[in-house]
Amino acid sequence: MADKDAGAAVPAAVSAGDDDGPQVEGVPEPTYEWMGLSNEWGVRVKPGEHGLRLGDLNVGIYGEVPEEWNDHTRRPRGALPRPGIPPLPYNLRRKHEMWADCAADLYEEAIQRRWIPATEVPWGSLEPLPEEVERAICQICTEFCQYANTELEIITYWQGQMSYGYFEVKQFLATATFDCARHIEAFRKRALANGGGLGIEQRGSVNRMILESRGGWTESVTYLYLLRGTYTMALYRMLLNAAHNDAERFIFSHCIEDHARHLTYGYDHLKYAVTHHVGQDRILQTLLAIGESIMGTELKEGTMGSAMAVLLGGGIEGGRTIGMETYLHGVGDFVRDYLALGEWIGVPREENLNPMLKKYLVY
Amino acid sequence: MARFPSEAWFKEVQEVYNSDSSLHTGGGGACETTAAFKVGDECYRIVFEGHQCLEIRSASEAELASPETDFIIEMAPELWKAMVENIQEHGAAHDDQTLNSIDLRQDDSIAYSPEDDQARQDLFYRFNQNFQDFFDASSRVETTFD
């Protein structure tokens, strides 16, 4: 038995040979009124061929995903509500405001496919590059850090407002924020690991547009994933194609895979919102008309284009010719993908596409 | 010596891929998908589970179009041949012969979902390096062409 005087909060040891059974001293008598309080008891979910996945748990009442979740508390979906819990500001409480059917699967995928920049990127493969090229990749990494911290900040801004009725989405977005943190880490390390350093901060009008999209998470997704995200994917793919060493190949190939998960969620959510909320397609048309203009201006005036051209052209000289041509072709691919995605989501933009984006279709 | 494209060739690649865990690192983790390759008129169905290629076999066009197929990679035979030759020469896809770089050069993506399901078409990007690793394993398969 423990010495009672040693501190009342410390549980006493159990006497193994006690005839009355295990006893604990120094703590209050347990209460049992919570036992037996369950909406559904006796659930026994079995692991499937891919293990016990989040989506597998959607059985019985636990699988009922309501169109509207009016509970303002942190109650897990399926648990019994407790009267008297003060409400919290969960302002996103309707399914169409955040849902994507793929969220649970994407969560599992993100958990399984995480990577470690510190030890898995073959940093030893970095070799000195021509200074113009090193400056270009460092400038690109600087701007990618800003892309990723914008994504991280806007997700976390909304995440706290998403109700627990749609926990699959909250769980997936938690992995997306960690992916963003990992990208910031990897890009910062690449910029500081090969004789260069960070470049100049991007002006960031698209970042600001994303961060100031306060009309709802769907609005943020429109700017973050459909517009900026689709462009970012085009950049990552060009950079993987032009990687100078295994370290860059590793970073960009893994960033593509992470980012593709984010886009899958984003596109799927927008399609869900358009399909399940009357008038959402027209709202997105209006948002995209505004967003295309800001995106077009940034493409024209931003530093990313010239940095990409120098990198793809192997220097300033090549950046004026083949480098810029390659970059512009990549931007053309972005606009074509954007139009195809708009069509698939149910928000066709071809007829009203802003001329500042339309001009890239010739490449 | 196996001929590309043929079921025998793909099965040899599968054996190399499954037997060497160093070929599973590029993708960054488990890969769960059922996909397909179209080489001209020839069709192949591939199933990945975890870090293994569970199945690769000839398939019919109708099978490829079934809802089971997440996405199809389709290229002209000469593009497939150039990619495989490049892998044979360099030990892994080099320069402009990776799946990513070939896709970047085409007007239409080489990967598509037969169901027009964007989430499943995106698997081409989400698992891109697993597929690249699989094809890179073919560098260890003695190959002939038609």
Side-chain angles (χ1 to χ4, degrees), chain A residues 302-316:
Chain A
T303 42
M304 180 62 87
S306 56
M308 284 291 293
V310 170
L311 184 135
L312 296 169
I316 292 172

Side-chain angles (χ1 to χ4, degrees), chain A residues 100-278:
Chain A
D101 288 335
C102 58
D105 288 342
L106 290 173
Y107 168 79
E108 296 286 355
E109 193 176 305
I111 292 295
Q112 289 177 8
R113 294 177 73 84
R114 61 196 185 275
W115 50 285
I116 307 167
T119 53
E120 290 183 353
V121 174
W123 296 110
S125 69
L126 290 174
E127 287 182 352
L129 294 171
E131 185 172 338
E132 292 164 0
V133 176
E134 184 63 29
R135 285 186 183 277
I137 186 72
C138 287
Q139 179 60 32
I140 290 163
C141 285
T142 304
E143 299 195 29
F144 279 163
C145 285
Q146 290 182 260
Y147 284 15
N149 67 33
T150 298
E151 182 175 351
L152 195 158
E153 283 179 28
I154 194 66
I155 290 174
T156 50
Y157 171 80
W158 287 111
Q159 206 177 20
Q161 300 184 52
M162 293 177 180
S163 66
Y164 275 90
Y166 313 103
F167 72 91
E168 293 95 334
V169 173
K170 288 172 78 84
Q171 297 272 107
F172 167 67
L173 290 175
T175 69
T177 57
F178 204 92
D179 290 342
C180 293
R182 188 194 296 122
H183 293 184
I184 293 167
E185 173 195 352
F187 293 134
R188 190 173 181 87
K189 285 177 174 173
R190 169 59 192 89
L192 300 181
N194 203 31
L198 291 169
I200 186 168
E201 177 186 12
Q202 187 199 33
R203 195 181 303 274
S205 45
V206 174
N207 291 339
R208 184 163 288 273
M209 170 179 78
I210 294 166
L211 290 169
E212 291 183 350
S213 56
R214 300 295 165 92
W217 169 237
T218 304
E219 177 180 324
S220 298
V221 168
T222 305
Y223 291 147
L224 177 66
Y225 292 133
L226 183 54
L227 262 174
R228 159 61 70 69
T230 307
Y231 172 65
T232 306
M233 180 59 102
L235 295 178
Y236 284 169
R237 295 189 62 206
M238 282 188 273
L239 289 162
L240 173 60
N241 199 32
H244 300 93
N245 46 62
D246 286 344
E248 290 177 5
R249 253 182 292 279
F250 190 101
I251 291 169
F252 289 115
S253 63
H254 284 73
C255 285
I256 285 172
E257 293 183 340
D258 291 348
H259 193 61
R261 275 195 305 277
H262 305 184
L263 296 185
T264 297
Y265 164 76
Y267 301 154
D268 209 27
H269 167 59
L270 292 177
K271 190 174 177 70
Y272 187 91
V274 166
T275 313
H276 291 81
H277 187 224
V278 177

